[in-house]
Amino acid sequence: MNLTLGTLLPTNESPSLPAIQTATRQPVTLTVNGVKTELQLAPWTSLLDALREYMHLTGTKKGCDHGQCGACTVLVNNKRINACLTLAIMQEDTQITTIEGLSSLDQTSSSSKLHPLQRAFIDHDAFQCGYCTPGQICSAVGLLNEGHAKTADDVRELMSGNICRCGAYPGIVAAITSVMDSQPTTV
Ligand code: FES
Ligand code: FES
């Protein structure tokens, strides 16, 4: 006999997924790019899903959802992490920065001013499809904050958690080393 959840429960107690999700949601307050937002989330919601599905910050990408590609890299208290590997509820007292929060307002022109790494990725042609790029840039900001990279080989090694399926690595390394050589970077 083929047993399923439906066959194990009396028919009048069959679960309704939306009902379960609504019943188990709880308030979670996240501070993202300096803005505090209260969400209603199931406790198992990843930070990645909270950002993309509930806050509509879709710059952060979902590649593997298993910590293997780096597409979901964001900064938590200025340190780079994979947003797919942490629960949103665990990040309530942290400062989260996504790719959307890296640029700043240019007071003189009232327009958005790119982060030096965003500018460098453009200048060095460091992407093709762009899917990995937000994660690459956030990871690079974290890398420079760590201060361990001194050479291009260090950059290659310490960025090895961020996969680029287009193979734009030469441009990515050139962009990061250009910023590394010109200034210490903080968010
Ligand atoms: S989506 Fe998080 S590491 Fe791939
Ligand atoms: S630019 Fe396409 S995956 Fe990196």
Side-chain angles (χ1 to χ4, degrees):
M1 179 180 169
N2 198 8
L3 286 179
T4 64
L5 187 59
T7 62
L8 292 170
L9 291 169
T11 51
N12 62 354
E13 291 182 25
S14 294
S16 148
L17 189 56
I20 291 171
Q21 288 177 340
T22 301
T24 55
R25 283 184 192 180
Q26 58 189 79
V28 175
T29 302
L30 296 179
T31 305
V32 182
N33 302 329
V35 178
K36 197 174 263 202
T37 306
E38 185 178 302
L39 305 167
Q40 296 293 324
L41 300 177
W44 55 81
T45 305
S46 70
L47 176 59
L48 177 58
D49 284 343
L51 292 171
R52 287 183 56 83
E53 308 300 331
Y54 293 86
M55 302 186 73
H56 309 297
L57 291 169
T58 53
T60 306
K61 302 300 186 221
K62 182 181 281 190
C64 63
D65 210 20
H66 285 82
Q68 295 173 347
C69 73
C72 64
T73 306
V74 298
L75 296 156
V76 170
N77 294 338
N78 290 340
K79 292 189 168 69
R80 50 183 173 162
I81 68 163
N82 289 334
C84 68
L85 291 186
T86 186
L87 299 176
I89 202 169
M90 295 166 64
Q91 303 301 338
E92 281 203 295
D93 298 318
T94 65
Q95 296 289 330
I96 300 158
T97 305
T98 68
I99 190 71
E100 292 91 346
L102 285 183
S103 56
S104 55
L105 188 66
D106 185 339
Q107 302 295 350
T108 54
S109 64
S110 297
S111 60
S112 187
K113 184 168 175 237
L114 292 180
H115 186 282
L117 276 161
Q118 291 174 309
R119 169 53 54 195
F121 267 61
I122 295 170
D123 292 345
H124 290 269
D125 203 16
F127 51 86
Q128 289 184 37
C129 77
Y131 197 82
C132 73
T133 310
Q136 299 277 4
I137 292 175
C138 285
S139 188
V141 173
L143 170 84
L144 297 187
N145 286 345
E146 291 157 16
H148 300 312
K150 306 293 180 208
T151 66
D153 279 348
D154 292 343
V155 171
R156 284 188 198 93
E157 172 67 23
L158 295 170
M159 288 294 293
S160 60
N162 288 80
I163 307 301
C164 176
R165 288 169 179 78
C166 298
Y169 297 112
I172 292 169
V173 173
I176 297 170
T177 51
S178 74
V179 177
M180 187 174 76
D181 291 343
S182 64
Q183 62 183 63
T185 302
T186 53
V187 175

